[in-house]
Amino acid sequence: APNFTVAKIGSLGYTSLAAAISAANSGDTITLVSDVTLTETLKINSDKVVALDLNGYVVDGREKVRIAIMSYGDLTIKDSSDAKLGAVKAGIGTAGNTVNICGGSFVLESGNIYSLNNAILVDEESASVEIKGGTITAEPNTRNSAAMYISSTSDTEVKITGGSLIGYNGILLWDNTSIEMTSGSIVAQGGVGIQGNGSKDNTEIAISGEAVISGYYAAIYHPQGGKLSISGGQLSGWTGVVVKGGNVTISGGSISGTG
């Protein structure tokens, strides 16, 4: 008989990714053994702490279907394959966010996340996001799209210790957000590497170490009331850093403007 298994937990096979997530216990790793097309939102709920190993395969959410981390669920995405071509894709139109974090924790260790809108959207509740590796790409189609869009007004913590974020903008953030970037890269192909909002305050942004931020307009645009610290890294853009609000400390790193 044909084998329609698309994912495994240990030696147990599942015919859908949703079934595997439903069956998973906290701490389990779900390993893809086939490409998967989603027909409905894949939800990681509050009782789940799971890892998804893409294993070189693709999860395709087509137009609007995405992976959603709900109310303090916990998801790590990685790719154990040698070529590291595994990917999670979604997104046509305004609802096409690939990973939607509505409270909870998300870690990207390796693999690729791709969207035609926002590759990662953080909204509604406080969240933790850590990028250790892999590539996050938002096809640069509009000035309001980003590799990561943080529209939550609750406490959100972002740590970037590796990987690449690529989009029209790198990261767009609202209030009560902290970003700590020590390595990895952000490439904004049409806008800004990291951009705040002038009406959304109480942010903390710290750039250090080997971080690389390349913006089309600017590496960082900081109009909000918040703290910006640059102690290392390489920042470049038409204008290197634009500051219109907040407190800024620069003690190291390289900042260059090409305009």
Side-chain angles (χ1 to χ4, degrees):
N3 183 354
F4 294 111
T5 297
V6 299
K8 287 187 174 182
I9 301 174
S11 60
L12 294 176
Y14 297 88
T15 57
S16 73
L17 191 49
I21 288 172
S22 178
N25 295 311
S26 286
D28 280 349
T29 296
I30 300 166
T31 303
L32 291 185
V33 295
S34 172
D35 291 339
V36 175
T37 298
L38 300 180
T39 57
E40 59 184 3
T41 297
L42 198 64
K43 294 182 179 180
I44 313 296
N45 292 312
S46 58
D47 59 339
K48 298 292 182 182
V49 180
V50 296
L52 175 61
D53 182 356
L54 299 172
N55 193 29
Y57 294 100
V58 174
V59 178
D60 191 347
R62 297 296 173 93
E63 293 190 1
K64 296 182 178 180
V65 178
R66 84 259 353 231
I67 294 177
I69 302 171
M70 311 292 294
S71 300
Y72 307 102
D74 189 316
L75 174 66
T76 296
I77 290 179
K78 57 186 178 181
D79 184 359
S80 64
S81 70
D82 291 338
K84 298 289 187 286
L85 297 178
V88 182
K89 299 180 177 181
I92 295 175
T94 57
N97 309 302
T98 304
V99 177
N100 200 169
I101 306 168
C102 306
S105 175
F106 175 70
V107 178
L108 179 65
E109 292 186 359
S110 53
N112 303 279
I113 297 175
Y114 177 85
S115 177
L116 292 177
N117 191 36
N118 302 304
I120 297 177
L121 175 67
V122 182
D123 66 0
E124 295 184 23
E125 299 182 46
S126 59
S128 168
V129 180
E130 186 169 2
I131 310 301
K132 296 181 177 180
T135 302
I136 301 165
T137 304
E139 190 68 26
N141 58 340
T142 69
R143 61 188 295 269
N144 293 320
S145 70
M148 186 185 305
Y149 196 127
I150 304 166
S151 62
S152 170
T153 57
S154 301
D155 294 337
T156 295
E157 294 184 359
V158 178
K159 289 186 177 182
I160 302 172
T161 59
S164 301
L165 291 87
I166 303 164
Y168 187 97
N169 297 292
I171 300 176
L172 299 177
L173 66 141
W174 287 11
D175 39 352
N176 304 313
T177 296
S178 69
I179 297 174
E180 180 182 354
M181 183 177 182
T182 59
S183 190
S185 65
I186 296 174
V187 178
Q189 297 176 326
V192 177
I194 299 176
Q195 177 171 320
N197 183 308
S199 63
K200 309 287 186 181
D201 301 322
N202 191 32
T203 62
E204 293 190 21
I205 301 169
I207 311 298
S208 63
E210 304 300 317
V212 177
I213 305 175
S214 172
Y216 181 84
Y217 168 62
I220 297 176
Y221 178 70
H222 199 279
Q224 75 273 26
K227 297 178 181 179
L228 171 61
S229 169
I230 301 171
S231 60
Q234 300 178 45
L235 292 78
S236 63
W238 190 80
T239 303
V241 176
V242 178
V243 177
K244 294 186 176 182
N247 299 309
V248 179
T249 303
I250 300 173
S251 59
S254 168
I255 302 173
S256 60
T258 59

